[in-house]
Amino acid sequence: MDRRKVLAAGAMGVATAALGGGAAAAGVRGEVAAGLGAMADALGVAPTVVDRGIGWTRTRFLIEDDGVPYAVDVVADTAQRPRSLAYLLPGGGLNFTANFFTPRERNLAHHLRRLGHLVIGITPREDLAAAADIGAGRGLAAHRVGARRVVDTGGAGLRLPYQLIGHSAGAALALDLAGRGGGRRLERVVVLDTTGPYAGDLAVRAGQARDTFRSLIDQGSYVNDPGLKGLLARALSDPDGASPVPRPVDPTTRFTNAGLAHYALIRTNTLPGPANWIYRQGHAAGTYTFGASPAEDRFTLAHSPLPVWGEATAALGSGLVPHALLRDLCAIWAGDDATYRIAWDRIRAEVVWINMELGRGDHPLGADLIRRNGNRHVTFQVVPGYGHGDPVWGEQAAAEVWPLLTPR
């Protein structure tokens, strides 16, 4: 038996085990197995079942890439045939599980599955890498090449239409993919809280941030660790413990662990760093009021509970963000096509662009550039009162945000 038949048979076995053997599921099982078999053949690796629940199954491909694997997760409905494919592209430092499969039973991947999509999540290579494995070449182009390989193979067995859905840096990747040829099957690009070029002073500031990351790369520094995984873990395990970070209102005192986590999520744009200014307020909507002492600070999150943030960050691998990726994103924000250019003029699929008021804010120039080049199927809207992470982890996101992603 040749390798193609072995992989296809293995994929059929995975699908049969995951979906069950009943007659009602036979047709669904066959179609999903055919898709998994085609992906296995094209990618050269068989999937494994990593999770399942009532009405769904999740399988994973681990694809070797320059010595470090990256993960591709496929979430399938066990009761209905898929009518299209949805490729989910996570934000910088995140993976599919953290960004789109948290909480486990109430997440964007399940929402899309129930709508009839076969969900395919593509996790960047750096999630399973050590800092020493990440070099100067891990810019947006490298992410595009890895994602394109999956997109080109994912629909080979099913021949279904597809959409690209990205959050934050993943949204920029979705636009980049669409601008470099999505094929006739690409129906829609869903952009969740990101920006194209800025104008005026913000474009200048983006150029300065680009230069900062370029300088770091030239000095041999290739990766950034935002530290959210540890920050959230300490906030949940020892909320009243003293953090090492001074409070701005009184530098002789230190945030509590819970206070620091809330402050970092709510007031991200006040934190040091070359790119935190991109948020109109922060990662999460909420309020923070300083008291007379750290124990008297009052804080609350408006949409996404702290335990959900903890669950998401606990699912991360390295949590690292390549400096080359940040350099390229800053170049896009600065309108610096010489460093990195998204082909706005070549995006022909429908574009649904949804920003968060307190996240990336009301900056529609990227959507305008697509529209100016003849694409009449472009919408841009801003969700009031939401921070950057709230559209995926917010308790009311299913009612207030997710219906906007797939307009009828």
Side-chain angles (χ1 to χ4, degrees), residues 102-108 110 305 308 392-397 402:
T102 300
R104 181 175 179 273
E105 296 294 345
R106 179 187 58 80
N107 55 62
L108 184 55
H110 279 323
V308 174
V392 288
W393 298 311
E395 291 183 307
Q396 300 303 316
W402 298 350

Side-chain angles (χ1 to χ4, degrees), residues 3 11 38 49 98 118 146 159 174-175 204 215 219 275 281 326 329 340:
R3 179 174 177 80
V49 179
L118 184 68
R159 305 303 301 171
L175 291 164
V204 173
S215 177
Q219 295 168 32
Q281 180 175 294
L326 293 169
L329 293 173
Y340 203 93

Side-chain angles (χ1 to χ4, degrees), residues 79-356:
Q80 60 177 328
R81 291 178 173 86
R83 60 179 178 82
S84 69
L85 310 176
Y87 292 94
L88 271 56
L89 307 170
L94 298 178
N95 57 27
F96 168 76
T97 302
N99 209 155
F100 301 116
F101 208 76
T102 300
R104 181 175 179 273
E105 296 294 345
R106 179 187 58 80
N107 55 62
L108 184 55
H110 279 323
H111 170 76
L112 294 166
R113 169 188 61 82
R114 294 185 187 103
L115 292 178
H117 304 288
L118 184 68
V119 175
I120 303 174
I122 306 173
T123 292
R125 175 179 175 268
E126 55 265 20
D127 180 67
L128 293 176
D133 299 317
I134 301 172
R138 284 301 297 167
L140 189 55
H143 289 75
R144 187 187 70 244
V145 169
R148 173 60 67 193
R149 179 183 178 191
V150 177
V151 171
D152 286 348
T153 60
L158 297 175
R159 305 303 301 171
L160 294 172
Y162 73 94
Q163 56 185 289
L164 301 167
I165 303 175
H167 180 214
S168 191
L173 176 58
L175 291 164
D176 195 24
L177 285 164
R180 295 174 188 265
R184 294 182 179 180
R185 291 190 296 112
L186 176 57
E187 285 188 320
R188 180 181 297 126
V189 182
V190 178
V191 177
L192 195 55
D193 209 41
T194 198
T195 48
Y198 289 109
D201 291 344
L202 292 180
V204 173
R205 196 166 185 180
Q208 294 168 343
R210 171 208 57 206
D211 293 344
T212 297
F213 289 116
R214 180 180 286 157
S215 177
L216 288 169
I217 294 168
D218 291 342
Q219 295 168 32
S221 175
Y222 301 130
V223 70
N224 174 55
D225 183 358
L228 280 177
K229 188 171 186 175
L231 180 70
L232 270 296
R234 290 187 294 273
L236 291 167
S237 64
D238 183 19
D240 297 325
S243 80
V245 179
R247 296 159 73 234
V249 295
D250 181 2
T252 65
T253 62
R254 299 293 184 264
F255 282 104
T256 65
N257 288 327
L260 179 59
H262 282 81
Y263 190 84
L265 293 175
I266 296 166
R267 300 192 183 179
T268 315
N269 65 351
T270 68
L271 301 179
N276 284 325
W277 58 270
I278 62 176
Y279 303 104
R280 185 164 179 262
Q281 180 175 294
H283 288 301
T287 58
Y288 198 108
T289 304
F290 287 105
S293 69
E296 296 173 276
D297 288 356
R298 295 293 174 261
F299 39 81
T300 185
L301 298 177
H303 300 293
S304 306
L306 196 69
V308 174
W309 280 93
E311 181 183 347
T313 54
L316 297 178
S318 70
L320 299 173
V321 186
H323 284 154
L325 175 62
L326 293 169
R327 175 205 59 205
D328 293 344
L329 293 173
C330 290
I332 293 167
W333 305 334
D336 172 16
D337 288 350
T339 298
Y340 203 93
R341 178 179 183 269
I342 288 180
W344 308 103
D345 56 321
R346 296 182 59 196
I347 299 175
R348 294 300 175 213
E350 178 187 10
V351 176
V352 179
W353 196 315
I354 305 164
N355 272 15
M356 304 301 115

